[in-house]
Amino acid sequence: TFSMDNFIKEMDEAMVQLCNCRELVEKKRRDYGIGIEMLPREIHLLEVVANHPKLNAYELSVKTSLWKGTFSKVANRLVEMGLLERYQNEDNHKEIFYRVTPLGQNAYEGHYQFHQRVSLNTYEYFRNLDQRERDIILQFVSHYTSYLQEYLK
């Protein structure tokens, strides 16, 4: 018979595989059609800036789940690559903002096209789930994320 202990062991092994795979993916540089290879955290930070143009640097760091120092380092690298512009509002010189450059917009669009190609089967799988299955998956991911966050304390 299949006991809960066996399920927990299988789940732990599956999650270790998932986390290890995710770690490898995070180190993989990719060109999104602009001649510059980017890390996932770089293209995803650019994506958040593009999707939330009114947020300041602190709000963007929260949105990306990056520490302020890490966010600044990655954002500055994207500025150096010519993908983001850093600016301040006339009325508030304390807050820092970013905007996507035309080259950054091309990378953003290339990243979207990449996901349309590569993620097609996974997106189709998700579309075929009923609402109950979707809820269970989202509840599990949320719970497991909280579990992993305990290791950061």
Side-chain angles (χ1 to χ4, degrees), residues 14-152:
M15 294 310 295
V16 166
Q17 276 187 313
L18 176 68
C19 291
N20 287 343
C21 186
R22 176 70 184 174
E23 196 173 319
L24 292 173
V25 166
E26 286 301 313
K27 294 176 182 172
K28 174 91 170 112
R29 292 184 176 276
R30 190 173 303 281
D31 180 354
Y32 296 100
I34 61 167
I36 299 172
E37 290 193 342
M38 301 174 71
L39 290 168
R41 77 169 23 171
E42 293 168 339
I43 191 66
H44 291 136
L45 188 148
L46 184 139
E47 181 179 43
V48 170
V49 171
N51 291 339
H52 303 279
K54 304 244 185 280
L55 297 184
N56 66 33
Y58 173 75
E59 294 164 326
L60 289 166
S61 72
V62 170
K63 190 69 91 175
T64 57
S65 297
L66 294 174
W67 290 325
K68 285 190 297 184
T70 303
F71 176 87
S72 294
K73 186 176 175 182
V74 175
N76 288 338
R77 196 161 45 244
L78 294 173
V79 169
E80 289 169 13
M81 292 179 191
L83 303 173
L84 290 182
E85 289 177 0
R86 182 178 191 242
Y87 70 97
Q88 294 172 308
N89 285 334
E90 297 278 330
D91 55 336
N92 185 347
H93 291 285
K94 283 187 173 182
E95 289 185 322
I96 296 167
F97 294 87
Y98 293 92
R99 67 172 67 97
V100 177
T101 65
L103 184 62
Q105 184 63 35
N106 290 343
Y108 175 85
E109 291 167 10
H111 178 242
Y112 179 80
Q113 291 166 0
F114 167 77
H115 277 294
Q116 291 293 26
R117 261 190 342 272
V118 173
S119 305
L120 195 60
N121 290 338
T122 300
Y123 292 166
E124 188 60 31
Y125 173 80
F126 289 149
R127 272 193 276 288
N128 288 322
L129 296 173
D130 64 36
Q131 191 58 49
R132 183 178 165 278
E133 292 169 317
R134 292 174 185 180
D135 290 344
I136 289 169
I137 290 170
L138 291 174
Q139 182 182 3
F140 168 77
V141 170
S142 175
H143 178 81
Y144 204 84
T145 300
S146 295
Y147 166 71
L148 291 177
Q149 286 172 337
E150 286 298 313
Y151 282 92
L152 298 175

